Amino acid sequence: MFVATALLIIGLVLLVYGADRLVFSAAILCRSLGIPPLIIGMTVVGIGTSLPELIVAFSAATHGQMDMAVGTAVGSNITNILLIVGGAALFHPLTVHSNLVRRELPLMLLVTLLCGVVLFDNTLSRNDGLALIVIALAWLLFIIRIARRAERDNNDTLTQEQLKELPRDETGNTVAFLWLAVALIILPMSTRMVIDNATVIADFFGISELIIGLTLVSVGTSLPELATVIAGALKGEDDIAIGNLIGSNIYNMAIVLGVPALVQPGSIDPQAFSRDYWVMLGVSALFTVLCLQRGRRIGRAAGALLLCGFVAWVATLFWLPSATLW
C-alpha cells in the first residue's frame, strides 16, 4: 500500500511535468510556424491545462476503466473551483476585470448543462463523444474570435496577460524538439503509474474507481491549474488565473469526457450523474455568481466557504459513498 501510494504520487508529478514540457515545446514550434501568439495561447496553452486529465481519461477508458475516466473529468472541475479557487482566494482575493472572462462564465454553465444531458442515461456512446468534441471545437472557435477582437481593440486584460505569459522562442526549435521527445517518453509511463496504482489503492480500501478518479487522480491532475492560479495571484494577473480555470473546466467536460466516449463507449456508474454531476453543476453556478456579483471579487470569506465545501464533498464521498442528490 505504501509503495502504491508513493508510485501514484511520483506518477502524478511526472504526468504534470511531462504535460508542461509538451505544451512548452508545442508553443515554441507553433511560434516558429508563424501561428499568431493569441491562437497559441487559446489552443495549445489553453488545452494544455487539461492535458493530464485527458491523458489519464483516455488511458483509463482504453483499459475498460470508464468510471475512473469520468471521475477524473468531473472531479477535476469540482476541485478546480472548490480547492484551487478557494485556496487562492483565501491567500489572495481574486478580482475579475476582463469582459472576456465574464462572457466565458455563462458559456461554462451552458456546457455544464449539456454535459448533464450526456451523463443522464449513465452511458457514454460514440454519439455522445462526437457531440462533446463538436462542442469543444465550437467553444474554441468562439473564444478565439472574441479574443482576437479584444486583442485588436487592446481593451481586455485577459488577452494582454495571456500574450505576456506565452513561452518565448529564444531556446530554438532543437531544444523544443528535445523537450517534445522527453514529454512523449514520460507521459505514457507516468499515466500507467497513475492508473495502475490508483486501482491498487481503490481495491485496498474497497472503494470504487469513480471515487478514486474524483479525489486522488483529479486532485493530482489539477496541479497545472493550481500552478496557474497561484502564479497569476502572485503577479496580480487574476484574469488569466480565472480565465484559464474556466477554459480548463470546459475542456474537461467536452474533451476529457468526449475522447474516451469516442474510443471506448460504455456504461458508467449511475452515481456519476445522480451525485457527482449535481455537485459539479452547483459549484459551477456558485463560482459564476461569485465572479459576476457586484465588485466582481472573490474574497477571503468566499474562499473559506469554497474550501469548506471541498472538505465536505470529499468527506461525503468516503463516509457516505452511496449517497445521491438525484
Side-chain angles (χ1 to χ4, degrees):
M1 180 60 199
F2 174 79
V3 173
T5 303
L7 289 175
L8 174 64
I9 294 172
I10 294 171
L12 286 169
V13 172
L14 290 174
L15 176 65
V16 172
Y17 180 74
D20 176 75
R21 293 297 85 190
L22 181 62
V23 171
F24 174 82
S25 59
I28 299 299
L29 294 173
C30 286
R31 271 182 180 268
S32 69
L33 293 173
I35 298 175
L38 184 64
I39 304 300
I40 299 173
M42 289 293 179
T43 55
V44 176
V45 178
I47 296 174
T49 55
S50 291
L51 192 56
E53 288 92 340
L54 175 59
I55 294 170
V56 169
F58 174 80
S59 182
T62 56
H63 288 80
Q65 297 171 296
M66 185 63 80
D67 288 337
M68 186 177 292
V70 173
T72 299
V74 174
S76 291
N77 279 17
I78 298 171
T79 298
N80 284 347
I81 295 173
L82 294 183
L83 178 62
I84 295 177
V85 174
L90 195 63
F91 170 71
H92 170 80
L94 303 171
T95 303
V96 178
H97 303 96
S98 169
N99 290 323
L100 185 56
V101 169
R102 292 196 292 273
R103 295 177 71 175
E104 288 178 336
L105 285 163
L107 293 174
M108 182 188 72
L109 275 182
L110 176 61
V111 176
T112 304
L113 290 171
L114 294 174
C115 181
V117 175
V118 169
L119 295 175
F120 176 75
D121 60 357
N122 302 320
T123 302
L124 284 178
S125 66
R126 284 199 169 91
N127 287 336
D128 292 334
L130 181 61
L132 289 170
I133 296 300
V134 169
I135 289 172
L137 293 175
W139 153 260
L140 199 54
L141 292 174
F142 173 78
I143 203 65
I144 288 174
R145 180 180 178 183
I146 62 175
R148 293 186 70 173
R149 185 182 305 164
E151 182 190 27
R152 184 180 64 247
D153 298 336
N154 196 32
N155 63 355
D156 192 86
T157 53
L158 176 61
T159 55
Q160 295 167 6
E161 291 173 3
Q162 281 185 323
L163 292 174
K164 187 169 63 175
E165 292 298 321
L166 278 178
R168 304 299 174 185
D169 56 0
E170 288 86 354
T171 55
N173 287 349
T174 301
V175 175
F177 275 116
L178 288 174
W179 278 122
L180 179 62
V182 170
L184 293 178
I185 293 172
I186 290 176
L187 288 172
M189 176 184 66
S190 59
T191 303
R192 287 316 311 165
M193 288 177 65
V194 169
I195 293 175
D196 291 345
N197 290 286
T199 303
V200 170
I201 293 172
D203 292 340
F204 182 85
F205 287 106
I207 55 179
S208 67
E209 291 179 354
L210 175 64
I211 291 180
I212 286 293
L214 287 165
T215 53
L216 291 178
V217 177
S218 66
V219 170
T221 54
S222 293
L223 290 176
E225 289 89 340
L226 176 61
T228 299
V229 172
I230 290 177
L234 290 176
K235 297 176 183 178
E237 298 175 345
D238 296 353
D239 287 318
I240 195 171
I242 295 175
N244 282 351
L245 188 143
I246 294 171
S248 173
N249 278 20
I250 292 174
Y251 291 133
N252 284 343
M253 288 180 283
I255 298 180
V256 178
L257 279 180
V259 170
L262 280 176
V263 300
Q264 192 69 35
S267 60
I268 59 176
D269 190 325
Q271 287 186 307
F273 176 77
S274 63
R275 177 192 62 202
D276 307 315
Y277 167 75
W278 296 101
V279 174
M280 180 176 70
L281 178 61
V283 299
S284 298
L286 175 60
F287 177 57
T288 301
V289 171
L290 290 174
C291 289
L292 297 181
Q293 65 179 330
R294 182 177 299 178
R296 302 164 186 167
R297 189 170 184 266
I298 304 177
R300 289 188 171 88
L305 174 65
L306 293 174
L307 280 177
C308 290
F310 179 78
V311 173
W313 172 63
V314 172
T316 300
L317 288 177
F318 286 98
W319 291 343
L320 299 171
S322 59
T324 60
L325 297 177
W326 179 264

